[in-house]
Amino acid sequence: MEQSLNGKNAIVTGAALGIGKETSLLLAKKGAHVVVSDIKEKEGFAVVNEILSNGGSAEFVSCDVSQEEDIIRLTNHLPNQNKRLDIMVNNAGIANKPTFMHKVTTEVWNKLILMDLTSVFWCQKYTTKHMLDDRIGGSIINVASIAGLGASPSLGPYCVAKAGVIELSTTGALEVAKYGVRINAVCPGWTETAILDVAGERGKSAMEKNIPMGRLGKPMEVANLIAFLASDESSFITGSVYRIDGGTRS
Ligand SMILES: NC(=O)c1ccc[n+]([C@@H]2O[C@H](COP(=O)([O-])OP(=O)(O)OC[C@H]3O[C@@H](n4cnc5c(N)ncnc54)[C@H](O)[C@@H]3O)[C@@H](O)[C@H]2O)c1
């Protein structure tokens, strides 16, 4: 087992499936104690069991990231080992059903902004406070999207929310850089997870055609980047925004 995260505590939101699940498995494989968090309890406990059966350390904490009180409870849940929060992966997110901006309802708009931007603001805010109080620094990784770096017609609310996550990461990072708290944003391109189901099979094959490498990304490929940013190997990196997209530029 690789041990580069040995002794560190990590929380991953949206950890029951997709990128969050692979990230949890990888952080645990690298030695971290992982708090697997999601609204999907059955799938979340399955991730914990997989980690435990591989000899790793993990526990499940239920958290709906659209509820501020849930996030306060989650970030206050410091594992018993050493009561520190070293790594926070703000990953939970949803996509909107493809709709042009002028047809987006206020209800859909509010839901996407709450789920994909305000939730990350809360997670980053409460985690940063803990890390500053502990005076030992830490690494926060916000999962944004290449949709936040350019225009993606019919994904307007999602694009706006993810652009906000990028700004939240870069601005927040500079505010606390001198205290050893690092904040970076990861921007995956289209990656093979359930979130793409909103696009349907035709939409997915159109995405694939638009990726220079000719295929969708794999959740583990994104997890590898997140694990690097979580580790001390990236100790001089903060306020950075990383594309991981098979070369996609539109
Ligand atoms: N898959 C892609 O193509 C892609 C591309 C760019 C960015 N992303 C981003 O990656 C992140 C992970 O997405 P994924 O592709 O793994 O999707 P996914 O649908 O496979 O996983 C999302 C996870 O979030 C959880 N979740 C949903 N609502 C929640 C809530 N209210 N509270 C807590 N958890 C909740 C789900 O239960 C699920 O486990 C998202 O932020 C997404 O926007 C994904």
Side-chain angles (χ1 to χ4, degrees):
M1 191 182 284
E2 308 160 56
Q3 296 293 334
S4 59
L5 299 178
N6 214 6
K8 292 191 190 283
N9 291 322
I11 296 177
V12 182
T13 68
L17 301 173
I19 293 169
K21 173 183 174 178
E22 295 304 323
T23 299
S24 299
L25 295 173
L26 186 60
L27 296 182
K29 189 176 167 199
K30 288 177 177 288
H33 172 83
V34 181
V35 176
V36 173
S37 174
D38 207 287
I39 43 170
K40 291 199 163 109
E41 302 209 351
K42 192 170 141 236
E43 292 85 348
F45 276 112
V47 175
V48 170
N49 286 335
E50 191 171 338
I51 290 172
L52 297 179
S53 65
N54 289 336
S57 174
E59 63 191 298
F60 179 77
V61 174
S62 176
C63 172
D64 178 346
V65 296
S66 68
Q67 306 295 318
E68 186 175 12
E69 315 78 59
D70 271 25
I71 290 173
I72 292 171
R73 187 175 43 80
L74 176 68
T75 53
N76 277 338
H77 177 85
L78 304 180
N80 287 332
Q81 281 178 323
N82 53 19
K83 301 278 180 201
R84 261 179 19 210
L85 177 51
D86 304 286
I87 299 160
M88 182 77 186
V89 183
N90 297 320
N91 165 76
I94 56 170
N96 63 277
K97 210 169 145 214
T99 320
F100 283 173
M101 283 296 249
H102 63 282
K103 291 185 179 168
V104 170
T105 62
T106 303
E107 192 188 358
V108 168
W109 173 265
N110 286 341
K111 186 175 177 194
L112 257 288
I113 297 300
L114 173 63
M115 266 301 301
D116 286 359
L117 177 57
T118 308
S119 71
V120 182
F121 160 65
W122 286 327
C123 286
Q124 178 174 305
K125 170 180 169 170
Y126 294 111
T127 302
T128 302
K129 281 185 174 175
H130 275 300
M131 289 176 171
L132 291 176
D133 288 348
D134 284 352
R135 297 171 189 273
I136 47 125
S139 176
I140 300 173
I141 298 107
N142 293 328
V143 180
S145 167
I146 57 166
L149 291 166
S152 293
S154 81
L155 283 179
Y158 183 74
C159 292
V160 172
K162 293 299 189 180
V165 170
I166 291 166
E167 189 57 36
L168 185 64
S169 312
T170 51
T171 299
L174 301 197
E175 290 171 352
V176 294
K178 69 169 69 151
Y179 305 107
V181 176
R182 301 187 295 111
I183 307 176
N184 292 290
V186 166
C187 296
W190 308 126
T191 306
E192 211 156 358
T193 71
I195 207 171
L196 297 191
D197 291 350
V198 290
E201 283 313 311
R202 272 180 58 199
K204 276 201 237 180
S205 92
M207 285 169 189
E208 258 174 351
K209 286 194 188 114
N210 199 32
I211 300 172
M213 286 182 78
R215 65 168 176 86
L216 297 172
K218 298 185 174 73
M220 184 51 84
E221 291 174 313
V222 181
N224 277 323
L225 176 57
I226 294 173
F228 167 68
L229 291 170
S231 76
D232 292 341
E233 285 153 10
S234 61
S235 51
F236 198 48
I237 299 177
T238 196
S240 289
V241 181
Y242 286 87
R243 303 182 72 109
I244 172 160
D245 59 8
T248 310
R249 288 300 173 268
S250 60

